[in-house]
Amino acid sequence: MAILLAGVAAGTINTVVGSGTLITFPTLLAFGVPPVTANVSNTLGLAPGSLSGAIGYRAELRGQRRRLVVLGSASLLGGVVGALLLLWLPSSAFDAIVPVLILLGCALVILGPRLQRRVAARAAGRGGLAEHGAWWVWPAVGLAGVYGGYFGAAQGVLLVAILGIGVADTMQRHNASKNVLALLVNGIAAVVFVLLAFVDVPFAPSSSAGSIDWSVAGLIAVGSVIGGQIGAKVGRRLPPPLLRTVIVVVGLVAVAAFLLPT
């Protein structure tokens, strides 16, 4: 039940803010799921929630098809690279890197309002709409995809900042685009994980077959789909400071769980 509720919370937060991994990942660690397995299973579970959130924001997505096709190619490429890095690098590398990534995610959550205010001010000062944004937006979205495929906490904050600075449009439409791009990253990473778990690929890492906990992924998937709809309909009314405080506290607890001796 706790994992299911964590999935609901993550689906809601991902749709509104984009930091749901900082809820589900520590929860899985608390239940004794190994870090890499927790991350892979979490990615599988959150992918349906990203789809749910994107559907909930469908009104804000109108007129963005061409933009999302272009930027979505960067997200897909980055997501594949990030997923393969997660599986190819030794688990010791993940154990060393993930506390830094969690702290980065917490910092981005804390700085999110300031980034968004600056982004909104810059967008308001530009006239007209840039179809695909500045030249650097595509590679920046790709790098965010690598980050998302590897771990993904606060990937949404990164995407909103990139889109807001480099593409002239409203914040609500950027948030809708963020949900689609995050869906592509999570979705393609999930495909990579499942493919390598079932298909004998010569270059696949030997540990890939055991990297998915299907029961955990299923619980998170059900919860995240529910949360995606909550986030699209009700989540905008939640007090953002409280939401960010919860995320940061959970993230710091996860870092402590990694760093403190058992």
Side-chain angles (χ1 to χ4, degrees):
M1 179 61 70
I3 294 175
L4 177 66
L5 292 176
V8 174
T12 303
I13 292 168
N14 275 341
T15 303
V16 179
V17 181
S19 310
T21 293
L22 292 180
I23 298 294
T24 46
F25 184 71
T27 301
L28 297 183
L29 294 182
F31 278 86
V33 181
V36 173
T37 300
N39 196 33
V40 170
S41 305
N42 181 62
T43 299
L44 263 67
L46 290 181
S50 298
L51 176 60
S52 178
I55 292 173
Y57 268 87
R58 59 189 177 276
E60 288 85 355
L61 288 172
R62 293 193 182 100
Q64 297 199 70
R65 177 174 298 182
R66 290 184 60 190
R67 178 186 299 165
L68 290 173
V69 167
V70 173
L71 297 181
S73 63
S75 290
L76 289 171
L77 179 60
V80 170
V81 172
L84 291 177
L85 285 176
L86 175 66
L87 294 178
W88 279 338
L89 293 177
S91 59
S92 58
F94 183 80
D95 292 342
I97 293 171
V98 88
V100 178
L101 295 180
I102 293 176
L103 289 174
L104 174 61
C106 290
L108 289 171
V109 170
I110 293 171
L111 296 173
R114 183 177 301 176
L115 286 173
Q116 290 176 359
R117 284 195 297 269
R118 291 185 178 181
V119 160
R122 293 191 58 160
R126 289 192 296 259
L129 299 181
E131 181 66 26
H132 310 310
W135 66 267
W136 52 265
V137 170
W138 194 93
V141 168
L143 289 174
V146 174
Y147 173 75
Y150 188 84
F151 185 59
Q155 175 192 187
V157 177
L158 276 175
L159 287 171
V160 168
I162 292 168
L163 294 173
I165 294 170
V167 181
D169 211 331
T170 67
M171 291 301 297
Q172 286 297 334
R173 283 166 62 82
H174 286 326
N175 199 44
S177 298
K178 173 264 294 180
N179 287 331
V180 173
L181 297 176
L183 164 64
L184 293 175
V185 172
N186 289 340
I188 195 65
V191 168
V192 171
F193 296 146
V194 172
L195 179 65
L196 295 185
F198 285 103
V199 178
D200 185 15
V201 181
F203 57 83
S206 58
S207 61
S208 61
S211 295
I212 302 174
D213 187 320
W214 293 101
S215 60
V216 163
L219 287 171
I220 293 177
V222 172
S224 67
V225 168
I226 297 170
Q229 291 303 302
I230 294 173
K233 295 179 180 178
V234 182
R236 299 172 194 173
R237 303 175 186 175
L238 297 176
L242 175 61
L243 198 58
R244 291 187 178 90
T245 298
V246 171
I247 294 170
V248 171
V249 169
V250 172
L252 293 177
V253 170
V255 172
F258 264 94
L259 298 181
L260 293 179
T262 57

